[in-house]
């Protein structure tokens, strides 16, 4: 059973870059990274979910058009991690960030709260 | 970008049946949108109930089903239980780009 765990700074200053990782454990690790697509989503406090983007098993990416200019998703195979970077953050980027696996979205991380504040 | 619409809130009686819908601002929802349904209980991460319109995961209670209905994606709950009280989100894929609906707060009362 694969487990996903988001990690990263809980506080980021405005205009800086938010950097999160999704750590993958359990199950068939080495195959898992390269066999699935990996998705990032977020949820501002008290609000609904927002799709950020995904990276496919081929390495191709697809991003939310409203975030596309600021977001990068990548795979760090050697560390069994999926990376999310979001540049030039503002208070509107304050949210719980989730990673999830696969086109069937069969696994979710528990989420990590990132607050953007000076 | 498309706007995905859901009922803001719905109430169902215990044991009752309810259908939540998910519409697209740019036309009918089809199987090509690979619609998803997620359940989120208070203070918890979401979990996936339905993917690709009507497919269930092993953990999806049998009382939940997904379909296309009247140009929308639909989640039907037959025999509502108190533990089904939660927020429900749909997600549609537009050529690989996902768009969430605003969510439906389901009350079992």
């Amino acid at each position: 059973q694969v487990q996903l765990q988001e990690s990263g700074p809980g506080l980021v200053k405005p205009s800086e870059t938010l950097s999160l990782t999704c750590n993958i454990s359990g199950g068939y690790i080495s195959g898992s990274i390269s066999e699935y697509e990996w998705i990032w989503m977020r949820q501002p406090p008290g609000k609904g979910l927002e799709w950020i983007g995904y990276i496919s098993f081929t390495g191709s990416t697809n991003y939310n058009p409203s975030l596309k200019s600021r977001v990068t998703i990548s795979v760090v195979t050697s560390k069994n991690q999926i990376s999310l970077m979001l540049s030039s953050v503002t208070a509107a980027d304050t949210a719980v960030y989730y990673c999830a696996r696969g086109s069937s979205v069969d696994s979710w991380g528990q989420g990590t709260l990132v607050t953007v504040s000076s | 970008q498309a706007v995905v619409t859901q009922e803001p809130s719905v109430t169902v009686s215990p044991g009752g049946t309810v259908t939540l819908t998910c519409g697209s601002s740019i036309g009918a929802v089809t199987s090509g949108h690979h619609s998803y349904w997620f359940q989120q209980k208070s203070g918890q991460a979401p979990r996936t109930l339905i993917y690709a319109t009507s497919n269930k995961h092993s953990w999806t209670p049998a009382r939940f089903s997904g379909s296309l209905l009247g140009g929308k994606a639909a989640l039907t709950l037959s025999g509502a239980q108190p533990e089904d009280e939660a927020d429900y989100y749909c997600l549609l894929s537009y050529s690989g780009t996902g768009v969430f609906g605003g969510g439906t707060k389901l009350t079992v009362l």
Side-chain angles (χ1 to χ4, degrees):
Chain A
Q1 182 78 7
V2 69
Q3 285 124 31
L4 309 180
Q5 175 77 58
E6 304 86 352
S7 63
L11 182 65
V12 180
K13 289 182 168 55
S15 80
E16 294 188 344
T17 295
L18 177 160
S19 182
L20 296 176
T21 58
C22 175
N23 299 283
I24 303 160
S25 61
Y28 177 44
I29 301 297
S30 59
S32 189
I33 288 271
S34 59
E35 292 173 1
Y36 291 92
E37 67 181 44
W38 303 90
I39 308 159
W40 282 97
M41 292 165 280
R42 69 181 182 178
Q43 185 171 35
K47 297 187 178 181
L49 292 163
E50 181 178 27
W51 188 87
I52 297 173
Y54 78 87
I55 186 165
S56 77
F57 60 88
T58 64
S60 64
T61 53
N62 200 345
Y63 301 130
N64 185 326
S66 69
L67 302 171
K68 188 173 183 177
S69 64
R70 300 193 291 129
V71 67
T72 303
I73 297 174
S74 58
V75 174
V76 187
T77 305
S78 61
K79 295 184 178 181
N80 297 321
Q81 290 177 342
I82 310 300
S83 170
L84 171 70
M85 297 186 70
L86 184 65
S87 64
S88 304
V89 297
T90 70
D93 295 309
T94 294
V96 175
Y97 286 76
Y98 297 100
C99 60
R101 185 184 80 165
S103 57
S104 66
V105 198
D106 62 359
S107 298
W108 286 73
Q110 65 184 31
T112 187
L113 174 63
V114 178
T115 301
V116 178
S117 175
S118 55
Chain B
Q1 188 172 348
V3 175
V4 176
T5 56
Q6 298 182 244
E7 299 86 0
S9 64
V10 173
T11 300
V12 63
S13 300
T17 295
V18 65
T19 297
L20 310 183
T21 67
C22 176
S24 172
S25 64
I26 56 175
V29 177
T30 70
S31 59
H33 290 97
H34 308 292
S35 50
Y36 299 80
W37 289 94
F38 307 100
Q39 178 191 62
Q40 187 178 34
K41 296 184 178 180
S42 181
Q44 297 182 15
R47 71 167 180 166
T48 307
L49 295 178
I50 301 289
Y51 64 98
T53 305
S54 59
N55 291 279
K56 301 180 184 183
H57 285 295
S58 58
W59 54 83
T60 305
R63 59 185 179 273
F64 288 96
S65 63
S67 65
L68 296 177
L69 193 64
K72 296 182 179 182
L75 177 70
T76 299
L77 170 57
S78 303
Q81 301 297 310
E83 60 265 30
D84 298 328
E85 187 159 293
D87 293 325
Y88 291 83
Y89 294 93
C90 71
L91 173 70
L92 301 181
S93 175
Y94 294 85
S95 300
T97 299
V99 181
F100 276 101
T104 296
K105 182 176 183 62
L106 180 67
T107 301
V108 181
L109 188 61

